[in-house]
Amino acid sequence: MADTRCIVETRRVVELACAAPSVRNSQPWLWRLGDHRIELHADQSRRLPLTDPRGRGVILSCGAALHHARVAAAALGLPAQVEYAPDLDRPSHLATLHLTPGEPSALAAADLDALAKRCTDRRRFTAWPVPDERLATLASTASAPGTQVLPLLDIGPRLRVELLVNRAVDRQEHGHSPRGEHVEGSDGLLVLLTERDDPRAWLSAGEALSQVWLAATTDGLSLVPLSCVIEDEETRSELHREVLGGLAEPQLVIRIGWQQIGRSELRRTGRRAFSDILLP
Ligand SMILES: Cc1cc2nc3c(=O)[nH]c(=O)nc-3n(C[C@H](O)[C@H](O)[C@H](O)COP(=O)(O)O)c2cc1C
């Protein structure tokens, strides 16, 4: 039977995990709490059928929440082993975190600080470009299996991606993007890639997104994921063929840059009631 401390801390891990980013703040996750274990499930009822017919955005978002949960667990002194569900082709149960009481990790405490500060900051970035080395270092922080983050440093692929993103945004938002998703010349760009294009790969990509986002937040950088270019089959396929030579599967483009003023005054997005995201 679970002791009271374990119940309280397991619940806290999930509360912190729910601060994760999700596509259009859909928060498509459900959790089942047990004795030193937490199950993560996808809530397919939150899928946006028009822009996310295959459920990629649902699973990417769950991957970000999974990484947030790992960070929270490690920072609270309950490091987690993740057991991935074997059959992700019909995904509902995605993964189980097995928590073992241990020492709180200092590294995770820094990540937890970033987790509390992180938000999607869509304000226009300053014109100071993010140096190539900084983009490359940030890209290298993603270590989820089967994923890679590609910094776009050469002018050719950069311009191509800029064009594709802006075309996809114009098509989806009819020329007006209330979410500030157009790319500008001085923005840093990263592409989140996977070897395969299936739910298991999407889950890893979501974990990698969270890793990069927390590292960027610690570094004082702002980040906006750009999913229009992936949601639009035509621009995704051009990105796959022309920029990646058909060698890797694009999951997300990420716009990155500096803000003139800190993000502390930004209004935070809401979260679902805790009782709505718990499975019996
Ligand atoms: C997989 C994924 C895709 C996203 N795509 C976009 C996007 O295309 N444009 C955008 O402005 N924000 C995008 N976001 C950010 C979400 O809108 C944001 O995380 C959500 O509204 C919650 O706000 P917060 O990040 O400030 O907590 C995306 C987030 C995730 C996880």
Side-chain angles (χ1 to χ4, degrees):
M1 192 167 158
D3 59 60
T4 315
R5 180 170 166 248
C6 171
I7 294 169
V8 170
E9 288 185 340
T10 307
R11 194 187 153 100
R12 185 72 191 127
V13 168
V14 172
E15 279 169 356
L16 289 165
C18 291
S22 60
V23 62
R24 289 181 168 79
N25 204 20
S26 52
Q27 304 162 61
W29 43 65
L30 293 168
W31 308 85
R32 179 173 286 126
L33 310 189
D35 183 8
H36 291 93
R37 55 182 272 139
I38 300 172
E39 285 178 18
L40 168 62
H41 293 250
D43 184 351
Q44 295 288 353
S45 73
R46 311 281 294 181
R47 185 174 61 83
L48 304 158
L50 283 183
T51 49
D52 191 18
R54 293 181 65 201
R56 182 198 309 274
V58 167
I59 308 292
L60 275 166
S61 304
C62 287
L66 178 60
H67 179 254
H68 268 49
R70 286 174 93 153
V71 165
L76 294 177
L78 288 168
Q81 290 276 3
V82 176
E83 181 192 351
Y84 293 93
D87 179 12
L88 286 194
D89 281 340
R90 274 172 285 111
S92 162
H93 178 204
L94 301 177
T96 303
L97 293 109
H98 298 277
L99 309 174
T100 323
E103 285 302 309
S105 125
L107 199 66
D111 274 348
L112 188 62
D113 191 47
L115 181 155
K117 290 187 182 136
R118 186 214 62 81
C119 66
T120 309
D121 189 345
R122 301 183 182 87
R123 292 172 299 166
R124 208 172 172 169
F125 297 148
T126 62
W128 302 316
V130 182
D132 285 358
E133 313 77 64
R134 207 134 177 185
L135 272 185
T137 306
L138 208 51
S140 69
T141 55
S143 61
T147 65
Q148 198 200 331
V149 177
L150 178 72
L152 291 179
L153 306 178
D154 294 335
I155 189 76
R158 222 213 95 89
L159 283 175
R160 191 76 197 120
V161 171
E162 195 176 315
L163 199 104
L164 289 172
V165 169
N166 291 343
R167 195 203 304 160
V169 172
D170 285 344
R171 265 217 291 254
Q172 204 174 81
E173 312 280 1
H174 307 292
H176 167 69
S177 169
R179 297 194 292 163
E181 292 160 306
H182 285 108
V183 175
E184 302 197 12
S186 53
D187 295 349
L189 288 181
L190 304 173
V191 188
L192 183 49
L193 309 170
T194 52
E195 284 164 16
R196 306 203 331 230
D197 191 33
D198 57 23
R200 180 68 187 79
W202 303 337
L203 192 66
S204 286
E207 291 179 87
L209 171 66
S210 171
Q211 287 172 333
V212 171
W213 208 330
L214 296 187
T217 305
T218 303
D219 225 9
L221 284 159
S222 288
L223 181 160
V224 181
L226 303 170
S227 39
C228 272
V229 65
I230 304 295
E231 290 163 356
D232 182 318
E233 268 308 316
E234 196 182 300
T235 50
R236 180 177 188 278
S237 143
E238 282 184 48
L239 181 57
H240 175 64
R241 259 194 345 264
E242 294 175 14
V243 181
L244 307 172
L247 296 173
E249 299 290 340
Q251 301 299 345
L252 212 53
V253 172
I254 296 170
R255 187 167 83 83
I256 199 150
W258 314 100
Q259 294 292 359
Q260 202 107 46
I261 308 168
R263 57 177 80 85
S264 55
E265 323 77 46
L266 290 179
R267 176 121 61 98
R268 295 305 162 108
T269 49
R271 291 295 180 266
R272 298 168 75 185
F274 198 68
S275 53
D276 290 349
I277 50 143
L278 283 190
L279 287 171

